[in-house]
Amino acid sequence: MNGRERFERMILGRPIDRRPFGAILSLYGAVLTGCPTERYYNDAAAFALGQDAVMREVGPDFLTGPFLLAGFGEAFGSSLHYADRYVPTLSRPAISSAADIPSLSVPDVDAHPRILFYRDSIRRMAAAHGKEALILAVVLNPLDLPLMILGPEAWLLTVLTDGDGTRRMLDLTIPFFTLLCRSLFSDGADVIAMPMSFFTRAVTTDRLVRQLALPVLQEALPGVRGPVLFHHTGSSFIDHIGLLDALAGATAYSLDVHDDIADARRRIRGESLLLAGFDGPSLHALTPAEIRGRCLELLREHGDDGRFIPAATGTDVDPRTPLESLLAIRRAVEEFGSG
Amino acid sequence: MRQGDGKKPVDPNVITTLENAVLQADMKTGRNILREAAAAYGYETLISEVFEPIFTDIGERMKRQEVSLAQSYVLSLMVDDLLRIDQTASGAGKRMARRGPVVLANIEDDCHPLGRKIVSTILRLHDWDVCDLGIDVEARLIAQKAVEVKARVIGVSAMIFTTAENIRKVREEIDARGYRGRILLAVGGAVFRLRPELAAGVGADGTAANAVAALTLFEDLWRKAEEW
């Protein structure tokens, strides 16, 4: 049984040989191939080679496309900061205030080099591994996308004080987002994974969720026309997970390492998938033995939850993480088997 | 904060409603209440009897990491409004800084000003003279400004690991100019919340997880710094 078959059977509630497992190993491919990050995040062939190595060395049940959030801003005119071993980050936003929104040009999803990098990476990954693993494409949702176009401060200021400016920006980002998601599905992505900053405790409030963030997703998601994984973005969004579960395409959730998995399950439908257990950026702080032990403990604790998937979430697994640590998760799910 | 002028007693609902506006990140409601309260009670009372309890409560929430970025930002924007009300009401120069000066900046290559701005606002509310240099500032210029204004504390912010590494250069600039022990270095930003041990690694004299803790840190460092 391969990863794709495990997921498909899991969703249908059929028996599987073992739990699927995975981690956000988008960047880790560069570690395994020794590819400089500037090349890795600009050359889809290099990125895909990295994911070949992830598949070969780790063998997860899902692969993640470029987790390059700032790149979406770059497509709108922002600039990136490249670091030796880490994912490029936002250097300078495309615009500095909502007043500059009219100067923005929305990238053509069929022509912009940055967007083509995302799409070609997914195409190559799907062609090479789509039959054996699920392919996740990471896309910023329409409310998070402006964080990379205006920068976090200017976008937060706009959201808090300028209803018209907020709407003008969303009028650009919602159609772009839906078109990009549909394009990625046509390229071979199985699931769109989207960070959910505006639903997390670190960023938002209940009022902002209900009056702003939720209506934006209600407007945008029907246009995506496919399954969606809501990703916690490094802070808990468990308070609002029940609201998300009613949205079009809601299929899976990745939880913060501190979240109570059973509590999350109580808040959502039984058929939704829950990915949780480890924090990718700090996984290197645990020994492989600790990881294996923790994974087995999670599997025993949540064995009755047929749609719980042990995974390292957060942002990318840190490059300092030894391969043995990732294999420890795999060994634990294999040891636990179908139990 | 300064003491109130003891005019009209403050309606407790004003405090509750204003604090709720902060906690719901409702800037529109907050601004309306602030404007009405300023007119009804005057600036000094607004500071001492309205903002003091709100700041204390939200400060406690910050220590427990229960305050979101949106809530912190709304609090900061309201304090900014409050400081503007003071200037408007009293003409130029009534509000005198009584502590400092200190220098704040985002380090070279870091263009994420939100945390620094919140700290700047909270410091100013507490009567610190803040020389805020903005984003993406070279270490050389930060140290140069601190010497120029006789700041005993520099606060430098960075969001990610790679830009945090640039803060080492501030340490080097301070030391090269012979001001070790006389100008102390505070650091903050998301990367230091996740990895507090990094503060010592870049040569900082202290770090703070949020704006309230930063206030205490600046007071501590100011006391520790040798007078010059």
Side-chain angles (χ1 to χ4, degrees):
Chain A
M1 198 176 286
N2 64 33
R4 174 169 293 279
E5 290 163 342
R6 283 186 195 99
F7 272 106
E8 286 171 357
R9 293 178 69 87
M10 187 182 220
I11 288 166
L12 295 169
R14 292 187 181 155
I16 46 177
D17 59 342
R18 64 161 174 81
R19 296 293 166 121
F21 84 100
I24 299 177
L25 298 170
S26 184
L27 169 65
Y28 206 77
V31 178
L32 292 174
T33 56
C35 185
T37 48
E38 188 152 358
R39 181 169 167 227
Y40 190 69
Y41 286 108
N42 284 288
D43 177 352
F47 185 88
L49 279 177
Q51 294 309 299
D52 292 345
V54 166
M55 204 62 204
R56 188 172 59 246
E57 302 289 337
V58 185
D61 294 290
F62 64 84
L63 288 175
T64 311
F67 203 118
L68 177 59
L69 305 184
F72 296 106
E74 187 190 34
F76 279 79
S78 301
S79 58
L80 300 185
H81 172 75
Y82 286 89
D84 281 348
R85 301 181 67 200
Y86 290 88
V87 181
T89 53
L90 181 69
S91 173
R92 289 198 180 276
I95 55 173
S96 57
S97 81
D100 299 328
I101 290 171
S103 71
L104 286 173
S105 59
V106 178
D108 182 339
V109 299
D110 295 317
H112 193 285
R114 174 51 71 197
I115 302 301
L116 292 180
F117 163 75
Y118 291 111
R119 294 190 58 187
D120 197 22
S121 297
I122 292 295
R123 277 191 211 111
R124 289 168 183 266
M125 289 164 64
H129 307 291
K131 288 183 179 156
E132 52 186 329
L134 286 199
I135 308 295
L136 269 61
V138 180
V139 179
L140 278 176
N141 75 57
L143 199 54
D144 282 2
L145 189 49
L147 294 168
M148 298 297 164
I149 300 172
L150 281 115
E153 191 211 359
W155 179 233
L156 198 52
L157 181 67
T158 304
V159 162
L160 292 171
T161 63
D162 180 0
D164 290 342
T166 303
R167 189 63 242 179
R168 282 200 306 277
M169 179 54 92
L170 292 171
D171 285 344
L172 299 181
T173 59
I174 289 175
F176 169 76
F177 164 78
T178 53
L179 184 58
L180 177 59
C181 290
R182 291 200 299 269
S183 302
L184 288 164
F185 281 131
S186 72
D187 295 329
D190 295 293
V191 180
I192 299 295
M194 60 175 81
M196 301 296 288
S197 299
F198 272 89
F199 285 79
T200 61
R201 286 176 189 161
V203 171
T204 197
T205 67
D206 188 59
R207 184 189 72 85
L208 286 174
V209 165
R210 290 173 190 276
Q211 293 183 10
L212 174 70
L214 190 63
V216 169
L217 292 187
Q218 285 167 334
E219 181 181 347
L221 287 179
V224 169
R225 300 177 202 156
V228 169
L229 180 153
F230 297 113
H231 176 64
H232 65 86
T233 330
S235 169
S236 178
F237 69 161
I238 197 170
D239 299 338
H240 303 110
I241 201 170
L243 296 173
L244 296 172
D245 211 35
L247 293 173
T251 302
Y253 301 85
S254 71
L255 301 181
D256 181 75
V257 71
H258 302 296
D259 283 333
D260 179 335
I261 296 167
D263 183 26
R265 172 58 70 198
R266 282 191 290 274
R267 294 166 185 258
I268 58 173
R269 292 164 298 145
E271 58 264 39
S272 296
L273 306 182
L274 274 180
L275 288 77
F278 297 97
D279 176 51
S282 61
L283 193 66
H284 64 94
L286 301 175
T287 65
E290 287 170 330
I291 292 168
R292 178 183 156 277
R294 169 77 181 136
C295 192
L296 283 170
E297 187 184 313
L298 282 167
L299 288 164
R300 281 192 286 268
E301 198 176 335
H302 302 287
D304 292 342
D305 185 339
R307 291 178 177 88
F308 162 67
I309 297 159
T313 66
T315 50
D316 267 295
V317 165
D318 190 281
R320 291 169 292 177
T321 310
L323 181 60
E324 198 58 31
S325 295
L326 300 167
L327 294 174
I329 305 177
R330 181 186 177 123
R331 290 191 181 115
V333 293
E334 286 172 348
E335 188 178 331
F336 189 77
S338 58
Chain B
M1 290 185 197
R2 291 174 290 183
Q3 292 303 303
D5 53 6
K7 287 178 187 169
K8 187 175 163 185
V10 173
D11 178 352
N13 284 333
V14 170
I15 301 171
T16 308
T17 316
L18 197 56
E19 181 163 3
N20 282 341
V22 173
L23 294 176
Q24 280 303 315
D26 185 350
M27 197 60 211
K28 191 175 171 188
T29 303
R31 275 193 166 140
N32 287 340
I33 299 166
L34 196 64
R35 212 167 16 244
E36 288 167 13
Y41 305 116
Y43 174 80
E44 296 293 343
T45 304
L46 196 56
I47 286 276
S48 62
E49 294 182 34
V50 177
F51 259 84
E52 177 81 52
I54 290 174
F55 191 81
T56 302
D57 182 52
I58 291 182
E60 287 302 315
R61 290 171 189 259
M62 279 184 180
K63 286 180 194 166
R64 298 194 300 269
Q65 299 190 327
E66 292 173 359
V67 176
S68 72
L69 192 60
Q71 291 166 328
S72 297
Y73 197 28
V74 164
L75 177 65
S76 157
L77 291 171
M78 283 192 197
V79 172
D80 268 342
D81 283 357
L82 194 60
L83 296 172
R84 268 195 293 274
I85 288 169
D86 179 38
Q87 285 180 340
T88 308
S90 57
K94 181 190 170 189
R95 187 174 185 81
M96 296 295 290
R98 297 188 299 184
R99 286 184 273 186
V102 295
V103 171
L104 294 186
N106 283 83
I107 192 61
E108 185 178 353
D109 290 335
D110 189 283
C111 298
H112 302 282
L114 186 52
R116 188 202 81 245
K117 282 192 172 180
I118 294 172
V119 169
S120 174
T121 302
I122 300 299
L123 285 171
R124 285 187 293 121
L125 179 68
H126 288 81
D127 299 330
W128 283 85
D129 178 8
V130 178
C131 179
D132 191 338
L133 301 181
I135 59 168
D136 189 13
V137 186
E138 284 179 42
R140 177 181 57 85
L141 298 176
I142 297 171
Q144 189 177 305
K145 179 56 77 173
V147 171
E148 182 189 319
V149 301
K150 293 189 182 300
R152 278 151 64 179
V153 184
I154 290 173
V156 187
S157 174
M159 192 171 87
I160 58 173
F161 179 73
T162 47
T163 51
E165 288 284 315
N166 289 339
I167 296 177
R168 285 180 204 280
K169 296 180 200 166
V170 181
R171 170 85 276 157
E172 289 161 10
E173 288 282 345
I174 293 170
D175 293 352
R177 288 161 198 259
Y179 285 90
R180 179 176 272 269
R182 293 190 286 172
I183 298 176
L184 298 188
L185 178 60
V187 294
V191 67
F192 295 104
R193 275 198 303 280
L194 293 170
R195 298 175 57 187
E197 75 283 359
L198 185 62
V202 299
D205 297 297
T207 185
N210 56 58
V212 172
L215 186 61
T216 309
L217 176 65
F218 273 69
E219 284 164 355
D220 287 348
L221 293 181
W222 186 268
R223 273 195 300 273
K224 282 180 193 163
E226 295 162 26
E227 210 164 320
W228 56 285

